[in-house]
Amino acid sequence: MSMAEETAGTEASPWGEVTPDAARRLLLAAVEAFAERGYHATTTRDIAGRAGMSPAALYIHYKTKEELLHRISRIGHEKALDILRTAARAEGSPAERLAEAVSSFVRWHAGGRTTARVVQYELDSLGPEARAEILALRRQVDAEVRGIIEEGVASGEFDVPDVQGTTLAVLSLCIDVARWFNVDGPRTPEEVGALYADLVLRMVGAGEPSGTAQR
Amino acid sequence: MSMAEETAGTEASPWGEVTPDAARRLLLAAVEAFAERGYHATTTRDIAGRAGMSPAALYIHYKTKEELLHRISRIGHEKALDILRTAARAEGSPAERLAEAVSSFVRWHAGGRTTARVVQYELDSLGPEARAEILALRRQVDAEVRGIIEEGVASGEFDVPDVQGTTLAVLSLCIDVARWFNVDGPRTPEEVGALYADLVLRMVGAGEPSGTAQR
DNA sequence: GATCGCGCTAAGCGCTCGCTCACCCATCCC
DNA sequence: GGGATGGGTGAGCGAGCGCTTAGCGCGATC
């Protein structure tokens, strides 16, 4: 059980960059509230209440409720992109890097489901210019995964008729984890990550014949 | 181009059972509005306006705004379940039935993205007892897919270490189509359905060596 | 030790929400 | 033709929304 724990478990880690302390507490409260009820069903009074402050305190640190969502979304997407970049640029074969990319990306979505839910599903609640900024980050996410798959195809290691379609499917699989994963469920983020990495290797035609995943 | 069109293309078909006519128009308007902006961001005035009626008209046919979502969600889940059941109980090998189940399920999510979005992503906006009813339908959806996979494993046609996990992944892949599919994008629902059926067969270890999907 | 500035609160503004109510007007039965 | 019925409207209620403003407490500064 001495696995990497940079992304799994506690979700507080990525928000260390947010200062001052009150602003971070408000952001964390907003993440929880948005994940539970959705952006539009969350009130500024609810966010401030969770952070132990009065409703007006929110507007000292953030101009609007939407700015909170924007900040959460940008930081979350940057973290997701960072996870994929690290895996994509590591040493190893395309299959090894794709497996590591998928398993770490899935671990992030499962372990930090609260954050991932907001990041992946509340995009439409942003205004046009904020959404455009986030969509640019999403295209970079897509490009990282596509890059690994293209390398595997070029080296003959993968057998993929439709690279862009398969890229979409791989990301789809990972992202949807944030929708269904249940912390109280029977699976740990690590187990889901390992299972999904195996399934993705099969999708690109690089799966081991059998027996890598247990259960 | 003489393909089955029962689920693709126009989305108006499944709502034929809703009467009277004004109630159906309101329901259709609600589906559009919920899909575009989400349940909580949609106002009853918006729904009534899209249906060409006054805000008060809504309450002649529906007790609350939530009842609209409940009706949409139940009808949608029943349709989804029906699609999967038809594929699961058709003749053919497990691989053929799984491919048909995935491709028709994906076609429904892509072609009827408006409806599918509401059905798959607005579940949390329902109250406790309505949500419980829908969750029971979801368990039946899961059971249909799991059933096909179990048959393929039993016959030795599939190689699946984790049946429940793979079932989850297959459904995940299909459902997420409703999140990203764009009607104006480069792919038709039929193309995505064929691609995803191929990918799923690879996931269960029953994929053809290569060359089934084009592009 | 008075002054200042910053983080925060109490109160509340203007607005829009889900929903209701009194009433209208075709259609239909007798 | 008179009255009942049922789908529809215009106006508006109470509540809760996002956000603002006036002022308070308190540590840092000189």
Side-chain angles (χ1 to χ4, degrees), chain A:
Chain A
M1 302 245 177
S2 59
M3 307 195 75
E5 58 199 36
E6 48 175 320
T7 58
T10 60
E11 308 181 22
S13 40
W15 310 114
E17 61 193 78
V18 181
T19 53
D21 183 73
R24 183 171 54 251
R25 277 189 294 133
L26 283 165
L27 205 84
L28 213 63
V31 170
E32 278 180 31
F34 291 163
E36 271 178 33
R37 308 140 102 95
Y39 174 78
H40 286 293
T42 298
T43 69
T44 55
R45 286 162 175 84
D46 183 23
I47 297 169
R50 284 174 193 248
M53 304 166 97
S54 80
L58 199 154
Y59 294 91
I60 295 162
H61 301 284
Y62 302 96
K63 224 163 36 182
T64 62
K65 177 177 142 184
E66 194 195 321
E67 193 195 328
L68 266 167
L69 179 61
H70 185 190
R71 287 265 254 269
I72 292 166
S73 197
R74 210 192 49 237
I75 294 173
H77 274 89
E78 280 166 356
K79 180 65 185 169
L81 185 54
D82 182 57
I83 287 169
L84 287 178
R85 269 212 238 274
T86 301
R89 303 188 180 172
E91 294 185 0
S93 67
E96 287 167 343
R97 281 179 287 139
L98 183 59
E100 175 57 24
V102 168
S103 82
S104 57
F105 200 47
V106 165
R107 284 201 306 273
W108 183 72
H109 279 84
R113 181 182 178 259
T114 310
T115 303
R117 230 173 200 244
V118 179
V119 166
Q120 300 294 0
Y121 293 110
E122 297 292 344
L123 183 65
D124 291 341
S125 303
L126 287 170
E129 67 299 349
R131 181 161 59 241
E133 181 197 330
I134 301 297
L135 284 176
L137 285 169
R138 292 215 173 186
R139 278 190 291 275
Q140 292 183 56
V141 164
D142 184 277
E144 290 298 332
V145 174
R146 196 177 58 243
I148 306 177
I149 293 177
E150 278 167 352
E151 286 177 46
V153 170
S155 76
E157 204 173 338
F158 296 168
D159 167 34
V160 177
D162 181 346
V163 170
Q164 181 54 44
T166 304
T167 301
L168 217 49
V170 169
L171 283 172
S172 211
L173 208 54
C174 297
I175 288 171
D176 200 59
V177 169
R179 184 182 57 86
W180 62 260
F181 187 80
N182 180 1
V183 186
D184 303 323
R187 296 161 194 278
T188 66
E190 285 75 21
E191 284 167 357
V192 179
L195 170 64
Y196 272 39
D198 184 58
L199 289 172
V200 165
L201 288 185
R202 288 163 172 243
M203 282 168 57
V204 298
E208 296 93 318
S210 72
T212 46
Q214 60 183 0
R215 193 189 185 193

Side-chain angles (χ1 to χ4, degrees), chain B residues 4 8 28 48 58-59 89 110 142 145 147 156 161 178 180 187 189 203 205 211 213:
Chain B
L28 213 62
L58 200 153
Y59 294 90
R89 304 195 176 167
D142 184 277
V145 174
W180 61 261
R187 296 161 194 277
M203 282 168 59

